[in-house]
Amino acid sequence: MNYYDVKAKLLALFEQCKLNGKENNEWGFLNEADKDILKIGYATNLTPDVVSDAAKNKVDLIITHHDAWEFVFGMKETCAELLSRHNITHAWFHLPLDDASFGTASAVADALGLANHQKGNLTDGYSCSVIGELPTPCFFEPFAEGISHILQESVRAYQNNDNPVRKVCITTGAGNSTNDIKYANENGCDTYITGEYNLYSQLYAKYVGINLLVGSHTNTEVLGVRQLVSSLTADMYIESIRLYEENY
């Protein structure tokens, strides 16, 4: 399928109001070309290793959640050079994917089977969180084992109350703000899942008695990228693969 047809369908998957004014900051495209797209590779992050793996697997288009960060000095320029050298196009969607109904936190909620999950805390019109309830309450240890299985990694698990897990807030990626945990607690959540933590989030979660489960930034968000790619390729003859990236 021609690249520009793929691009049009990709953009149509998002609410257009969530794309307005955010290009080249929260979403964008790099190294675009009039070519056929036969294989798509996806990952959470754009790194030189991800681009190299895409080249090895003859990928035409890489879709990620994050662009290469300018503050990881020099990496953005290296990725751009590799994309050009291997004639690979890159598309990334950050806040629009966090906010989407098929996006990062929603994908984890779907995998957990949370019922009627709704968008959580809004910042500048975007929500990076969802809140939902388990159809059947679950003891903490098997719940932690379940999220480890879903994320394919050993999560850090801090049990801060004795009640069964019932109402859960998920903020994938860098949900380590005490403001986010405060929002979850004030909305009746007994458990909070995220992809990063620090001293303050750990202390605050214990203080207010909300369970804290912490995976990696990469694995908590890749499910949303996978759902984006699955939606894109649902009626297309385009192969898709997850590209190798270290678990940060």
Side-chain angles (χ1 to χ4, degrees), residues 63-246:
I63 297 178
T64 66
H65 185 42
H66 303 130
D67 190 12
W69 297 279
E70 293 180 354
F71 52 80
V72 182
F73 303 111
M75 190 173 75
K76 189 178 181 74
E77 293 77 9
T78 297
C79 288
E81 191 278 325
L82 287 170
L83 289 168
S84 179
R85 182 194 309 173
H86 296 293
N87 191 29
I88 301 172
T89 302
H90 174 226
W92 71 93
F93 295 88
H94 188 220
L95 279 180
L97 183 59
D98 284 327
D99 184 86
S101 60
F102 52 81
T104 51
S106 292
V108 177
D110 289 340
L112 283 169
L114 297 188
N116 301 317
H117 55 80
Q118 304 292 325
K119 290 182 180 180
N121 202 10
L122 286 172
T123 303
D124 296 329
Y126 294 85
S127 175
C128 298
S129 304
V130 299
I131 291 176
E133 295 190 20
L134 290 173
T136 303
C138 178
F139 289 114
F140 180 77
E141 287 189 5
F143 182 80
E145 290 173 2
I147 190 66
S148 290
H149 177 73
I150 288 168
L151 299 181
Q152 296 295 291
E153 63 182 346
S154 296
V155 302
R156 299 179 182 90
Y158 303 94
Q159 183 174 4
N160 293 320
N161 64 69
D162 296 326
N163 301 317
V165 176
R166 182 185 303 270
K167 191 171 185 180
V168 181
C169 180
I170 304 167
T171 308
T172 55
N176 53 7
S177 168
T178 53
N179 287 326
D180 292 330
I181 300 174
K182 181 174 183 286
Y183 177 86
N185 184 60
E186 289 176 344
N187 281 272
C189 297
D190 52 70
T191 300
Y192 182 77
I193 300 171
T194 187
E196 289 187 7
Y197 79 129
N198 54 31
L199 169 66
Y200 317 109
S201 53
Q202 190 174 352
L203 286 174
Y204 186 68
K206 184 174 182 179
Y207 172 68
V208 297
I210 188 170
N211 299 321
L212 178 63
L213 293 155
V214 187
S216 65
H217 198 133
T218 295
N219 280 14
T220 57
E221 294 191 321
V222 75
L223 298 183
V225 188
R226 184 177 70 189
Q227 287 203 161
L228 170 61
V229 172
S230 295
S231 298
L232 174 65
T233 60
D235 57 355
M236 297 178 176
Y237 294 103
I238 297 177
E239 182 182 354
S240 65
I241 62 168
R242 181 178 179 183
L243 299 170
Y244 173 77
E245 59 185 329
E246 293 189 43

